[in-house]
């Protein structure tokens, strides 16, 4: 029999060897699994996934005095069975448009404590390995930005770090807390050099949403998940005090389309030409002139011909870094990542900046072809190998 002390020696030896072999802490490969596309490919295709984040539970659930149900599209246990042993299964709270529950939670010390304790109860009841806080966004620029102006939400900016630290205090140490955070500097109202130092101690990592970087609020065409715009996002967080290794770079398993303006100059220069008016300037409501759909989805009928042209004639912009096509016949700008574009982001963004991981929205969105997932996995595997070799070289010195 091994003594307790011997076991400790073996464990620490194993950890040292494992860390040396990987050249440092394990690189994160995070997959959101969504209620819209709750599909998981066969096990070999997710063997390199380190974290799965189930999206979403509603934020308001955690403001109830005594909730006893935790509505979600699946369970943690059922999800665990579909991934490699040791994969962390987390639960995302919130999502686009679900801000009121967070605002109610953040108000006072009492409401923050209730919210945090309910999260701890949920984590314990479901067996999750942690939570991902998707408040989009503290301080404003969310779905209701026209009807509820940002100044009315200014108080949320100092309240957000307090809410996160209350959740951190309520959750036992091994449980993880991450946050999904905006990819456009204009939306980083609560992510500043002033707030980030008080946010970081509560967070295991930040999922930087480096997609939808062109959206219906924009007036000119741009890559929605481009290399240069992704670098700008990461660098903005870094400049505000976030170490690159605390960041995950976001990948989108869907395609975006936008109508362009008549005589918008797109025939001359498709990147940076004028888009159509895509939302109501007074209400912020969608005018139906832009959208997105997952690789798993059926192509909306009215876009079928244009989408086929985009897939056939799309090109890669070496400068901004992104696949695109402007359909002159119908006046539609298309922006997406091909498998090749995903692979290019490893040297161009992930390894150049030395981020700690990647994530995708979302796993099932890439069914049933899984070619974007395969590319992301290939990128992660190559990155891990290069890190391993670097680790080996360092040891030999
Ligand atoms: C999940 O599975 C574990 C191990 O089988 C079991 O102990 C636990 O009760 C399950 N949790 C739930 C919420 O069903």
């Amino acid at each position: 029999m091994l003594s307790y002390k011997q076991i400790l020696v073996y464990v620490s030896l194993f950890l040292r060897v494992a860390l040396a072999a990987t050249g440092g802490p394990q690189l994160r490969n995070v997959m959101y699994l969504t209620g819209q596309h709750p599909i998981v490919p066969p096990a070999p295709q997710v063997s390199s996934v380190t974290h799965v984040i189930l999206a979403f539970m509603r934020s308001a659930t955690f403001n109830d005095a005594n909730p006893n149900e935790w509505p979600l599209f699946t369970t943690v246990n059922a999800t665990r069975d579909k991934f490699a042993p040791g994969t962390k299964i987390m639960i995302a709270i919130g999502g686009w448009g679900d801000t009121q529950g967070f605002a109610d939670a953040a108000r006072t010390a009492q409401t923050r404590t209730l919210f945090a304790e309910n999260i701890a109860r949920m984590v314990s009841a479901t067996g999750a390995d942690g939570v991902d806080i998707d408040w989009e966004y503290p301080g404003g620029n969310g779905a209701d930005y026209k009807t509820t102006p940002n100044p009315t939400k200014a108080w949320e900016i100092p309240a957000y770090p307090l809410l996160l630290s209350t959740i951190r205090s309520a959750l036992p140490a091994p449980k993880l807390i991450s946050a999904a955070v905006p990819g456009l500097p204009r939306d980083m109202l609560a992510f500043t050099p002033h707030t980030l130092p008080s946010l970081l101690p509560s967070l295991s990592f930040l999922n930087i949403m480096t997609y939808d970087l062109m959206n219906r609020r924009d007036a000119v065409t741009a890559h929605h998940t481009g290399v240069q715009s992704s670098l700008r996002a990461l660098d903005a967080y870094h400049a505000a005090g976030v170490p690159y290794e605390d960041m995950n770079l976001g990948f989108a398993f869907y395609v975006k389309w936008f109508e362009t303006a008549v005589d918008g100059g797109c025939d001359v220069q498709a990147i940076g030409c004028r888009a159509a008016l895509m939302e109501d300037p007074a209400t912020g409501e969608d005018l139906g002139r832009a959208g997105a759909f997952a690789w798993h989805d059926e192509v909306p009928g009215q876009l079928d011909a244009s989408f086929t042209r985009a897939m056939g004639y799309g090109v890669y912009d070496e400068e901004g870094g992104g696949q695109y096509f402007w359909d002159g016949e119908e006046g539609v700008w298309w922006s997406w990542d091909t498998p090749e574009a995903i692979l290019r982001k490893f040297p161009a963004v992930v390894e150049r900046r030395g981020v700690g991981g990647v994530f995708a929205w979302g796993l099932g969105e890439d069914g049933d072809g899984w070619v974007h997932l395969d590319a992301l996995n290939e990128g992660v595997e190559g990155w891990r190998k290069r890190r391993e070799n670097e680790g080996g070289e360092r040891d030999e010195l």
Side-chain angles (χ1 to χ4, degrees):
M1 288 295 281
L2 291 172
S3 74
Y4 184 59
K5 213 170 164 187
Q6 279 172 315
I7 291 172
L8 274 184
V9 168
Y10 282 117
V11 166
S12 69
L13 193 67
F14 171 79
L15 282 177
R16 269 178 48 203
V17 170
L19 280 175
T22 56
Q26 191 189 29
L27 297 163
R28 297 178 295 263
N29 183 10
V30 182
M31 290 288 146
Y32 279 93
L33 183 60
T34 73
Q36 296 96 318
H37 299 93
I39 326 156
V40 177
Q45 273 170 295
V46 291
S47 61
S48 76
V49 171
T50 57
H51 302 68
V52 175
I53 306 182
L54 304 173
F56 287 104
M57 273 190 192
R58 288 192 59 77
S59 58
T61 304
F62 303 94
N63 292 325
D64 286 352
N66 200 12
N68 47 26
E69 278 181 69
W70 314 105
L72 188 65
F73 67 94
T74 183
T75 66
V76 170
N77 274 0
T79 306
R80 224 179 261 296
D81 289 344
K82 296 177 181 153
F83 293 87
T87 306
K88 302 291 184 196
I89 312 294
M90 300 167 68
I91 292 177
I93 299 169
W96 184 248
D98 183 15
T99 53
Q100 191 56 49
F102 287 117
D104 292 343
R107 272 287 167 193
T108 68
Q110 202 179 347
T111 57
R112 291 192 287 268
T113 300
L114 174 67
F115 189 81
E117 284 176 356
N118 278 331
I119 286 180
R121 289 178 52 216
M122 179 280 285
V123 165
S124 159
T126 59
D129 295 305
V131 289
D132 181 59
I133 304 298
D134 288 37
W135 182 349
E136 301 181 23
Y137 314 100
N141 272 11
D144 62 348
Y145 81 131
K146 290 284 185 183
T147 49
T148 313
N150 291 351
T152 66
K153 299 187 176 195
W155 68 271
E156 294 174 355
I157 296 169
Y160 177 60
L162 297 176
L163 182 63
L164 287 184
S165 68
T166 314
I167 299 169
R168 183 65 280 175
S169 304
L171 277 181
K175 301 294 183 184
L176 305 169
I177 306 176
S178 58
V181 299
L184 283 170
R186 72 182 182 217
D187 297 327
M188 289 173 57
L189 300 157
F191 303 89
T192 67
H194 190 67
T195 60
L196 276 161
S198 53
L199 280 170
L200 292 179
S202 305
L203 295 173
S204 309
F205 50 83
L206 285 82
N207 290 331
I208 319 272
M209 295 188 278
T210 41
Y211 43 73
D212 301 338
L213 301 178
M214 176 181 178
N215 58 57
R216 68 173 196 243
R217 294 176 188 174
D218 290 299
V220 297
T221 57
H223 302 302
H224 96 84
T225 183
V227 166
Q228 293 306 327
S229 46
S230 294
L231 287 170
R232 272 197 293 279
L234 302 183
D235 293 349
Y237 283 92
H238 189 253
V242 184
Y244 284 117
E245 60 266 27
D246 288 356
M247 306 181 197
N248 294 336
L249 178 74
F251 288 76
F253 289 168
Y254 56 85
V255 54
K256 292 199 77 139
W257 61 274
F258 303 87
E259 279 183 26
T260 52
V262 179
D263 300 325
C266 303
D267 51 338
V268 181
Q269 174 57 267
I271 301 170
C273 71
R274 272 174 48 232
L277 181 69
M278 295 177 289
E279 69 170 26
D280 186 312
T283 63
E285 259 166 56
D286 187 24
L287 294 175
R289 297 185 190 133
F293 52 91
W295 297 119
H296 181 265
D297 293 340
E298 223 167 276
V299 179
Q302 81 280 12
L303 290 166
D304 220 351
S306 188
F307 175 72
T308 302
R309 284 191 287 273
M311 293 301 109
Y313 303 114
V315 292
Y316 189 80
D317 164 30
E318 296 284 345
E319 209 173 304
Q323 188 83 5
Y324 73 98
F325 180 70
W326 182 65
D327 177 16
E329 276 181 55
E330 296 186 48
V332 183
W333 163 260
W334 292 88
S335 171
W336 73 99
D337 263 353
T338 58
E340 294 72 30
I342 288 172
L343 281 167
R344 279 167 174 260
K345 281 183 178 167
F346 281 82
V349 184
V350 171
E351 292 170 71
R352 180 182 288 176
R353 288 298 185 264
V355 297
V358 296
F359 75 97
W361 180 277
L363 179 59
E365 276 69 6
D366 198 37
D368 295 317
W370 309 112
V371 293
H372 304 85
L373 171 67
D374 288 346
L376 191 57
N377 285 337
E378 188 186 330
V380 167
E381 290 304 331
W383 177 32
R384 282 182 186 154
K385 282 220 181 72
R386 284 186 287 280
R387 274 266 290 248
E388 223 170 275
N389 292 339
E390 275 171 29
E393 279 160 27
R394 248 185 267 125
D395 284 353
E396 280 157 28
L397 287 175

